[in-house]
Amino acid sequence: MSLVDIRNLDVSYGRQPAVVGLDLTVGQGEVVAVVGESGSGKTTTANALIGLLPTNGRITAGSAVVDGVETAGARERTLRALRGRVVGLIPQDPMVGLNPTKRIGAQVAEAVRLRGAPSSETLTFLEQAGVPDPEMRSRQYPHELSGGLRQRVLIAIALAGKPKLIIADEPTSALDVTVQKRILDHLEGLVREQGISLLIITHDLAVATDRADRVVVMRHGRKVEEGTPESLLVTPGSPYTRRLIAAAAPPTDFLSFLPTIHPQPPRDGADTTPPASDKTEYPQAVGSAAPGEISDSEKPILVLAGVSKTFAIRDPRRGHRGFNALDNVDVEVPRGGTHALVGESGCGKTTTLRIALGLETATNGSIELAGTEIRGLSWNRMRPLRRKAQLVHQDPFATLDPKFTVRQSITEPLVSFRVGDRRTRETRARELLDQVALPHAYLDRRPRELSGGQRQRVAIARALALEPDLIMLDEPVSALDVLVQEQILTLLADLQARLGLSYLFVSHDLSVVARIAHTVSVMSAGRVVEQGPVAEVFGNPRSDYTRELIEAIPGRRIHAA
Amino acid sequence: MARYVLGRIGQAVLVLWAAYTLTFAILYLLPSDPMELQLAAAGVQPDSLSAEQVAAIKHQFGLDQPIWLQYWHHLAGLLRGDFGTSLTQQVPVSQLLADRIGPTLLLSVSAATVALVLGSALAYLATFTRLTFLTRLPALGASFPQFFVALFLIQFFSFQLGWFPATGGLVMPVITIAVLASSVLAQVLIRSFEETLSQPYVTTARAKGLSRSAVHLRHAFRNAALPAMTILGVIVGLTVTSSIVVETVFTREGIGKLAQEAVLSQDVPVVLAVVTVAAAVFVLVNLVVDLLYPLLDPRISHTRPAAASVASVEGVAL
């Protein structure tokens, strides 16, 4: 008998259905992944299993049996007996998943004691989850731990109840790609070794097919498709799955599409030649929409030469000292082209971007924007130059003023630089909405009435308002669903081709970079470890670090299929 | 740590000085003649005095000096603990304060304690039971004017039931103040609880298999109480300012009643002294809260180990 047996399950929030007629099973020791974009009902399904739906959420029909216990309509007491001891949960975001005012040892010990075991077992579970020096760590508070370590503590908590099933809700989305890989490898090893079943909830088809024995694709609360990773990838039954596969294809597959200054076939040939059918079947792939050749002759729009940045740190024990956020960084953004900065959190890519925007002062080096040295410019002298370079921020939910209408948001730069009058601004606003493919009727909407992708379009329209030469994009798609990412990247490539824009593109996601960028700098610990055309750097990485980053990208099976 | 403490103390002194100076400025800009008031209190008609006599008296009290010199003398006196002399009662203000501070201190401390216990309990129960009636109760409590509550209590408990004396007792004045103060506290705490209960770590705690009451007590309470701590200063301040109305209604001879009398008779040194003392209490409570906060919240530490500060700089750099 299956450990989890969901039949014909309906879950609603108020009157809004979230899951409709779902059938899903998880066998003993099986690894099952549920894939879908936000709003597909995947997290709702997981929450329903352990009775942790938000207060307005209810199971309205069907049944969900876990380890022989019916959870639909079950009493709190019944559900509580399941939580922890039968089903362990690894929640979505490790940064906020732990109580900030409790030592981590105590948080793991709670789960141990609920099982009636002595708290001394705590250290065993921390060690199992791969937390180094568990004795010391157990006395620390969550804020003293990195994201990866916090994720491991959450895994330890899930393990501490000795469950039969672990639900991992988006176990990868908040972490760096190399950390993700190490942690998922570790978790997969643990569950396989101990015979625990694993239910992975993810938006990332690549992660799902890499890790699971069986993959379930969900959309709008319904199951679209189900099968082994191999069968799903080779013979996808639905067009939706096919689109997901196209969007999740690893960057090496895209190398041949890439518009590069020095087009050069990557050397590990067999791995990087995409099936010919891909090109014709998915013309929406961004690579094909990207602009043509960039001329080498023109001067770069942005040149950072020998830029260093030292932050002062006050250390009570050793007095003042510096932290080198950037060390002798050279970066060039070609006119009409896209230069990407990639690396893990803390590598200095955002600091580089802030220095290029004049928001942070470099300790050393020179920053030339459109032929003008901006280092050391006063605010007033810098201000006219700000028209030339605009920013699109990572989080489309936080970047727009919630009280502003779309019209106010995108005309604000015009107002602040006193461009035009009321009437011409209105015309410009409509023009900008056309450029980002939003209907004019959206001018009067406010951010909360827009989806994530639409908000990011508004943010792009706002960046375009002053007709800049350069747009700095700080992780512009990392908060969006895969298919929406695809649309925004296409829009960006399209705008670049039509308006001759240059982009400085910051991202931790190599597959996104491979789609949009011409040249790339791989950064680590404040230095550029490798630089050059994307095809060269990703196709034939020279540094170990770049190689590690590329190998950590999920999607081995998609790649193989 | 020492730097943090000194900084906070410095800020507190600055706020106190600003409160004093502002009050001084307002009171001395008022169109009243302190000398006239003083003469009236002594039963002398100002008209009956010659110009020389007026000048002599003004000189005696330093009223012929320019305003900034008066301010300076007053401030210097304050630092020595000398608040000057009451214009209407002809006794040192410090003696008036010493006579009257006891009842007010008792009232404020009792009211603040009752408000703290009542407000926390209400917020805890309201968020745990999720009864909308309870969550709305504080808004009701905060909307009754204090004189109304006081008169209601007198009418009901003194005149009808005869349980407490209408004047001089402690219970009814404390209840009057605690109704408002606990409502304000409960409103902030309920908000904070609701915010905390929607945090992902609460889900983590519940997914472990902890009961709702364990989650509420062990995970939610501390995290919800921390941000609410910042209004403790406001709560204590509220009990002090409330004493003006409450002591008047219940005829308690405290600082509040003194303030009310002093304002009516335009006794400037007394008003200035009461405002300064009240400001000092307010500043002191806030100072204590600020100094306690790092001890209660592990995230705020002023003696960071090196590793943690590097991490925080990286956080800024991201």
Side-chain angles (χ1 to χ4, degrees):
Chain A
M1 203 189 98
S2 305
L3 184 62
V4 175
D5 196 352
I6 296 177
R7 276 177 210 275
N8 212 10
L9 185 75
D10 284 4
V11 184
S12 309
Y13 294 120
R15 287 191 180 166
Q16 186 73 36
V19 172
V20 184
L22 181 74
D23 292 317
L24 177 76
T25 59
V26 181
Q28 207 86 48
E30 195 185 15
V31 178
V32 176
V34 178
V35 190
E37 52 197 352
S38 38
S40 63
K42 56 188 195 302
T43 299
T44 304
T45 307
N47 288 339
L49 272 183
I50 45 175
L52 286 180
L53 288 170
T55 36
N56 64 337
R58 278 186 56 234
I59 296 180
T60 48
S63 100
V65 177
V66 180
D67 196 28
V69 178
E70 175 63 60
T71 61
R75 302 169 62 95
E76 173 72 11
R77 181 186 296 270
T78 316
L79 293 168
R80 192 147 79 76
L82 284 179
R83 289 182 209 136
R85 269 165 285 180
V86 180
V87 186
L89 175 74
I90 302 173
Q92 208 168 91
D93 186 348
M95 301 311 281
V96 291
L98 290 165
N99 184 342
T101 59
K102 239 176 153 59
R103 292 176 204 276
I104 61 155
Q107 301 194 44
V108 180
E110 269 185 337
V112 174
R113 277 199 309 270
L114 275 171
R115 194 159 45 77
S119 326
S120 53
E121 280 185 24
T122 302
L123 297 183
T124 324
F125 289 108
L126 282 171
E127 196 162 11
Q128 264 187 28
V131 176
D133 199 355
E135 203 153 325
M136 186 268 284
R137 294 289 177 187
S138 69
R139 287 193 299 270
Q140 287 186 310
Y141 288 98
H143 71 274
E144 297 171 279
L145 270 54
S146 68
L149 270 181
R150 290 187 215 189
Q151 182 75 291
R152 287 178 190 273
V153 172
L154 287 164
I155 292 175
I157 291 176
L159 289 172
K162 297 218 165 152
K164 296 181 178 168
L165 167 73
I166 289 182
I167 300 175
D169 191 358
E170 299 281 8
T172 59
S173 54
L175 298 173
D176 279 325
V177 76
T178 48
V179 181
Q180 271 174 24
K181 182 173 187 301
R182 279 197 291 274
I183 288 181
L184 279 180
D185 284 347
H186 190 78
L187 180 64
E188 206 184 325
L190 279 176
V191 295
R192 300 238 185 243
E193 183 187 317
Q194 303 186 6
I196 302 171
S197 309
L198 182 64
L199 181 63
I200 301 175
I201 308 291
T202 179
H203 68 282
D204 192 339
L205 184 73
V207 169
T209 51
D210 275 2
R211 305 283 168 184
D213 303 325
R214 197 150 47 83
V215 177
V216 175
V217 181
M218 280 185 77
R219 192 187 194 196
H220 302 324
R222 292 170 197 273
K223 182 159 75 179
V224 174
E225 193 165 358
E226 179 171 5
T228 61
E230 289 77 16
S231 70
L232 211 68
L233 292 172
V234 178
T235 52
S238 78
Y240 181 69
T241 312
R242 250 174 275 151
R243 276 170 62 204
L244 282 181
I245 296 173
T252 39
D253 278 5
F254 281 79
L255 286 178
S256 61
F257 293 135
L258 286 173
T260 49
I261 307 174
H262 312 288
Q264 182 188 330
R267 280 177 217 165
D268 45 347
D271 272 354
T272 53
T273 314
S277 60
D278 269 4
K279 273 184 197 166
T280 46
E281 221 174 312
Y282 309 112
Q284 77 271 34
V286 181
S288 53
E293 305 283 300
I294 309 164
S295 66
D296 260 341
S297 55
E298 268 188 279
K299 266 197 83 180
I301 180 83
L302 178 75
V303 182
L304 271 68
V307 170
S308 300
K309 175 73 188 175
T310 308
F311 288 104
I313 293 178
R314 242 198 359 255
D315 182 340
R317 267 173 282 170
R318 276 172 281 175
H320 289 255
R321 65 202 177 87
F323 164 67
N324 290 328
L326 289 184
D327 188 4
N328 204 13
V329 167
D330 299 315
V331 167
E332 284 186 9
V333 180
R335 245 177 224 282
T338 302
H339 184 80
L341 302 174
V342 297
E344 306 187 277
S345 10
C347 73
K349 51 191 196 297
T350 296
T351 308
T352 309
L353 181 114
R354 289 177 58 84
I355 286 175
L357 271 171
L359 295 175
E360 199 87 64
T361 333
T363 316
N364 262 315
S366 91
I367 303 105
E368 223 174 78
L369 174 63
T372 314
E373 170 66 47
I374 64 166
R375 182 167 167 242
L377 278 193
S378 67
W379 187 267
N380 284 337
R381 302 274 298 281
M382 183 66 206
R383 194 165 145 80
L385 284 170
R386 291 196 195 279
R387 292 187 63 164
K388 291 185 191 293
Q390 294 285 310
L391 172 72
V392 173
H393 197 259
Q394 170 172 13
D395 186 352
F397 293 87
T399 183
L400 298 173
D401 188 324
K403 296 235 163 26
F404 274 22
T405 61
V406 168
R407 176 185 288 108
Q408 282 173 309
S409 278
I410 61 183
T411 55
E412 197 190 18
L414 301 172
V415 175
S416 107
F417 276 94
R418 298 171 200 281
V419 179
D421 56 25
R422 232 186 144 73
R423 220 157 33 88
T424 57
R425 280 177 203 151
E426 179 67 22
T427 319
R428 181 78 180 126
R430 286 164 190 272
E431 219 173 84
L432 287 165
L433 280 194
D434 287 339
Q435 283 181 350
V436 297
L438 284 178
H440 291 173
Y442 279 44
L443 279 174
D444 292 308
R445 294 210 182 178
R446 285 173 214 279
R448 65 164 187 279
E449 300 167 283
L450 304 174
S451 70
Q454 288 168 340
R455 286 178 213 212
Q456 205 57 310
R457 282 172 196 268
V458 173
I460 292 170
R462 179 175 61 183
L464 290 174
L466 291 165
E467 301 181 343
D469 299 319
L470 172 65
I471 297 187
M472 316 230 186
L473 302 145
D474 189 3
E475 302 267 12
V477 297
S478 59
L480 304 173
D481 280 327
V482 188
L483 293 178
V484 182
Q485 280 190 8
E486 202 63 23
Q487 292 161 8
I488 297 290
L489 290 177
T490 311
L491 173 71
L492 287 171
D494 185 45
L495 286 169
Q496 184 167 55
R498 278 194 285 139
L499 306 173
L501 292 168
S502 315
Y503 295 141
L504 178 61
F505 192 100
V506 168
S507 179
H508 71 282
D509 188 337
L510 270 69
S511 51
V512 165
V513 167
R515 279 157 216 231
I516 186 102
H518 301 93
T519 54
V520 61
S521 300
V522 180
M523 295 185 69
S524 171
R527 289 167 201 265
V528 174
V529 293
E530 197 162 351
Q531 203 164 44
V534 170
E536 252 172 54
V537 174
F538 289 176
N540 184 23
R542 267 161 308 183
S543 79
D544 291 341
Y545 182 70
T546 313
R547 216 166 293 135
E548 195 191 340
L549 279 181
I550 291 174
E551 273 162 19
I553 304 174
R556 297 187 304 264
R557 283 182 179 160
I558 293 182
H559 187 212
Chain B
M1 188 69 194
R3 205 188 153 93
Y4 171 78
V5 173
L6 284 178
R8 279 285 183 269
I9 292 177
Q11 269 179 22
V13 171
L14 202 69
V15 168
L16 196 54
W17 169 80
Y20 168 79
T21 305
L22 195 67
T23 318
F24 185 93
I26 291 170
L27 289 175
Y28 279 83
L29 285 174
L30 284 178
S32 80
D33 185 347
M35 199 189 70
E36 224 169 273
L37 290 168
Q38 221 163 344
L39 294 175
V44 181
Q45 281 293 321
D47 300 345
S48 65
L49 297 171
S50 70
E52 289 79 38
Q53 281 171 309
V54 171
I57 297 171
K58 276 199 171 181
H59 183 73
Q60 189 194 337
F61 288 97
L63 295 172
D64 55 346
Q65 288 170 344
I67 184 88
W68 61 269
L69 209 59
Q70 288 186 44
Y71 167 77
W72 178 248
H73 283 314
H74 215 283
L75 186 63
L78 190 71
L79 293 177
R80 291 193 310 269
D82 175 11
F83 289 91
T85 309
S86 162
L87 297 182
T88 51
Q89 303 192 35
Q90 310 294 349
V91 286
V93 176
S94 44
Q95 194 192 322
L96 275 179
L97 286 179
D99 290 349
R100 302 284 203 100
I101 203 149
T104 305
L105 213 59
L106 183 63
L107 177 64
S108 286
V109 170
S110 320
T113 313
V114 172
L116 197 67
V117 174
L118 219 62
S120 310
L122 181 60
Y124 194 92
L125 275 180
T127 48
F128 183 69
T129 59
R130 289 184 273 197
L131 291 172
T132 28
F133 147 74
L134 281 179
T135 49
R136 287 183 189 158
L137 201 58
L140 188 73
S143 53
F144 283 121
Q146 283 187 317
F147 71 87
F148 175 83
V149 175
L151 292 177
F152 171 80
L153 290 176
I154 291 176
Q155 174 67 24
F156 194 69
F157 288 106
S158 302
F159 297 164
Q160 292 200 356
L161 297 173
W163 287 4
F164 302 111
T167 60
L170 184 63
V171 176
M172 292 205 298
V174 165
I175 293 175
T176 308
I177 297 177
V179 165
L180 177 63
S182 64
S183 298
V184 173
L185 179 68
Q187 276 179 315
V188 174
L189 257 180
I190 286 174
R191 264 282 173 91
S192 189
F193 254 114
E194 281 168 353
E195 168 80 27
T196 305
L197 288 170
S198 70
Q199 293 298 311
Y201 58 77
V202 170
T203 311
T204 308
R206 293 195 65 199
K208 279 179 204 172
L210 289 175
S211 65
R212 270 192 65 226
S213 53
V215 172
H216 220 71
L217 186 67
R218 286 192 246 157
H219 290 272
F221 185 59
R222 186 169 182 187
N223 287 297
L226 279 173
M229 256 183 71
T230 47
I231 70 147
L232 277 187
V234 175
I235 298 291
V236 174
L238 197 65
T239 63
V240 174
T241 49
S242 301
S243 68
I244 297 178
V245 171
V246 170
E247 288 180 353
T248 307
V249 175
F250 290 101
T251 353
R252 285 174 64 85
E253 295 296 320
I255 297 271
K257 189 137 177 295
L258 179 68
Q260 183 251 358
E261 291 160 1
V263 168
L264 281 184
S265 59
Q266 299 196 339
D267 196 338
V268 171
V270 175
V271 176
L272 193 54
V274 171
V275 171
T276 309
V277 168
V281 170
F282 190 72
V283 165
L284 196 70
V285 173
N286 276 314
L287 180 67
V288 170
V289 169
D290 276 353
L291 295 183
L292 279 181
Y293 208 99
L295 300 180
L296 299 175
D297 189 341
R299 283 164 295 184
I300 303 174
S301 146
H302 300 279
T303 48
R304 289 190 167 196
S309 43
V310 171
S312 73
V313 169
E314 280 170 342
V316 169
L318 295 179

